[in-house]
Amino acid sequence: MEKFMSDALQNGHAANAQNEVPVGCVFVYRDEIIAYGANLVNKTKNATRHAEFICIDQVLDYCKQHNLQYTDVFREISVIVTVEPCIMCAAALNQLQVKEIIFGCVNDRFGGTTVLNVFHLLNSNVKLQGDICADQAMDLLKEFYKGENPSAPIPKKRKC
C-alpha cells in the first residue's frame, strides 16, 4: 500500500502547487489505480470538490466506459488518501460501500473517524487503516498552512 500512498502523496503535492489544501487520493480496483484525485475546492469554488469526490466521479466514468455496475466496482475499491477523510467524504465512501480506506495522517478538525466516527455511527463494514506515511502527509499540510490560502475570505475587523 505504500506504493499507492506514494501516488496519493504526489497528488497532494500537485494540489499544493495549485494553492489547494494538499490532500491527494487514489482509488485502487483489482490492484490497478483507476482514479486519481486532489482537492479542487479553490479552483472550482465548490466546497465538495475534495480529492475523494474527484475520484468518485472518475470511477463512475470508468464504469460507464467498461460497462460495469458501479455498485459492484466500489465494493472492491481500496481508497488510499493522504489525510483521513472528512465527515462528508467518509459518509459518501461508506454509502458507496468501498472495501477499505487507507489514510496517512489524522484529520483532527474534520475527520470522519477522529471528530465523528461516521463508520461506527452507521454500523459500517468498511475497513479502516491509518498512519501510513503519516509524517509525509502531515509535512505536506504544514507546508501549505505556512502560506496563505488565496481563496480564504478577508477577515473583517471587529468594531468595539
Side-chain angles (χ1 to χ4, degrees):
M1 283 302 147
E2 286 188 20
K3 187 261 185 260
F4 293 128
M5 183 59 79
S6 176
D7 292 320
L9 284 163
Q10 285 179 342
N11 292 337
H13 283 285
N16 194 35
Q18 295 180 19
N19 294 319
E20 296 282 353
V21 176
V23 177
C25 186
V26 295
F27 280 25
V28 178
Y29 174 66
R30 298 184 176 172
D31 290 324
E32 178 187 344
I33 296 174
I34 63 167
Y36 295 84
N39 277 0
L40 294 175
V41 172
N42 292 336
K43 180 179 180 181
T44 63
K45 307 278 190 246
N46 181 337
T48 68
R49 302 317 294 156
H50 290 196
E52 297 92 336
F53 274 76
I54 301 299
C55 285
I56 288 169
D57 289 346
Q58 290 176 24
V59 171
L60 294 173
D61 288 342
Y62 175 89
C63 291
K64 286 178 189 174
Q65 291 170 6
H66 294 88
N67 199 26
L68 299 168
Q69 288 291 338
Y70 75 89
T71 52
D72 296 334
V73 172
F74 276 111
R75 284 189 187 107
E76 293 186 48
I77 294 243
S78 294
V79 174
I80 293 87
V81 61
T82 58
V83 179
E84 170 193 359
C86 71
I87 295 168
M88 173 184 72
C89 292
L93 294 169
N94 180 70
Q95 184 70 27
L96 290 166
Q97 299 178 356
V98 297
K99 178 173 72 173
E100 63 184 342
I101 300 170
I102 298 163
F103 61 89
C105 62
V106 296
N107 180 347
D108 60 4
R109 297 183 80 200
F110 306 108
T113 60
T114 303
V115 174
L116 173 68
N117 193 330
V118 170
F119 303 97
H120 178 74
L121 182 69
L122 298 175
N123 199 24
S124 175
N125 292 322
V126 175
K127 295 177 192 168
L128 298 166
Q129 181 180 356
D131 203 29
I132 306 297
C133 303
D135 290 340
Q136 292 144 298
M138 184 57 74
D139 288 346
L140 192 53
L141 287 172
K142 287 178 182 177
E143 182 181 325
F144 174 79
Y145 285 110
K146 282 181 189 175
E148 289 188 26
N149 182 344
S151 295
I154 298 170
K156 295 179 182 173
K157 293 183 181 180
R158 291 189 169 191
K159 297 177 183 176
C160 295

